[in-house]
Amino acid sequence: MSRTPNTRLQALMQAAGLSPAQLARMLRSVAAERGVLQASYDHTTVRRWLAGARPRPPAPALLLECLSRKLGKPITAQDAGLTRTPATVINWSERDPGRLILQLARAECDPARQVLLGAGPFSLSALSVMDLGTPGDPTAQPTDAMVVPTVSQRAHIDQMGAIAALFHGTAERYGGQSTRAALAAYLADRVAVFIGAPTRDSVHPQLLSRIAQLALLLGIASADSGDHGISQYYYRGAARLATQAGDSVTFAITLRMMATQAYDLGHRTPAVLNLAEQAVAHARHAPPAVLSYALSQLAVVQAHYDRHAALASLARAEHVHARIDALPGPFTDYPAGALYFQRAQTLSALGDLIGARAALKISLRLRTAAEPRATALTRAYFAETHLRIGHLEQALTQWQTFLAAYPTLHSTRAARHFQNMISQLQPYRRHPAARQVLDEASAVGQ
């Protein structure tokens, strides 16, 4: 991009009422929200962009997110004058959720198109469930299904379920970044033949459900990779496919993940609360694991609105959880360690740090060898809770164990906890044990 003034960016900033200094502050805030470890943007940085300098990654994605939030609508790289490449990487107006997911997966497999793909911002306006439909609504069902042989399709339905379990297990162990590329390639190659293809009425909903579940896993992996805008598209595509399949279970799980993503990014708005409430509403007839899963997140969000409602939802989640008898699987089980982690989050939001600490201790005891990533994240949160109470020695013990597992994790959530550890220990740098942890962290981060 030549060094000619970026008039498009200037116009958007004016429309948003943002000065260079104000935009720089927003950039730093969104960067921290996404776990970007180094973000030193200031008003001079923004002025260079206005003069025509090209922002370097991850600045474009952060910039588009800031503008989108202020203006209340998605802003593309073309809108902001950040690229001259036509916006043809993805047809964002594609109405068919399966075809949009396929475009996204194919773009992930093409390094030349990943740059523009990664520019998609997380959108608060995309948290609405109004346009996602309702599972079981006849008007949401596809009408172009045809009769063809189904033996192969049934085999592929089973295969997709096994593949989903494989990718989910790997992501749980090592983080979403470890599976995202391979899962996108599988969807773009092996699953693509079923997207938009004619099928028997009897198997079509099952195919749509499997594709929705794979898209949901890609959304989780994208969020854990820090690409929250792309994650939203996968989530919304998964929700719409679940609607077409009449699959209220996958629909409820997807809404729950959308609420979790927004909450983890620091959003406590009524839209996030509504997402969590809708997840519970659609899970009311689901297996106990799914209902408990939805209720626990609702409790976390409700803690910022209504203490009584939060504790009631948490109690109900624990009561329902006791009825789980399903085999482990990405859409059939809810580990007890995860439930106690949500209990800790709820109690922490309510100001009960002692109760949160007790819940985290139980969560760690219940974590299994198949959950190294979740165990490490729980230890990091446990350490932060100890420090908030004033127990430095206990916090250091948990952080040391977290550090031992950190190099094997490919997760922005883990990276955010890693950065939190460094910043929270700086005031204790003269403490010998704290200094040792900081030194170990420095060595790990090199």
Side-chain angles (χ1 to χ4, degrees), residues 6-17:
N6 189 338
T7 55
R8 291 188 178 187
L9 177 58
Q10 184 177 35
L12 289 173
M13 288 176 59
Q14 290 176 346

Side-chain angles (χ1 to χ4, degrees), residues 127-129 132 255-256 258-259 262 270-280:
L127 298 180
S128 171
V129 298
L132 297 179
L255 295 187
R256 198 272 200 188
M258 292 172 67
V272 180
L273 177 61
N274 181 59
L275 268 176
E277 290 172 338
Q278 290 297 314
V280 171

Side-chain angles (χ1 to χ4, degrees), residues 418-429:
F418 180 82
Q419 186 61 29
N420 287 345
M421 176 190 67
I422 294 174
S423 62
Q424 290 176 21
L425 282 181
Q426 287 301 328
Y428 304 94
R429 191 168 185 85

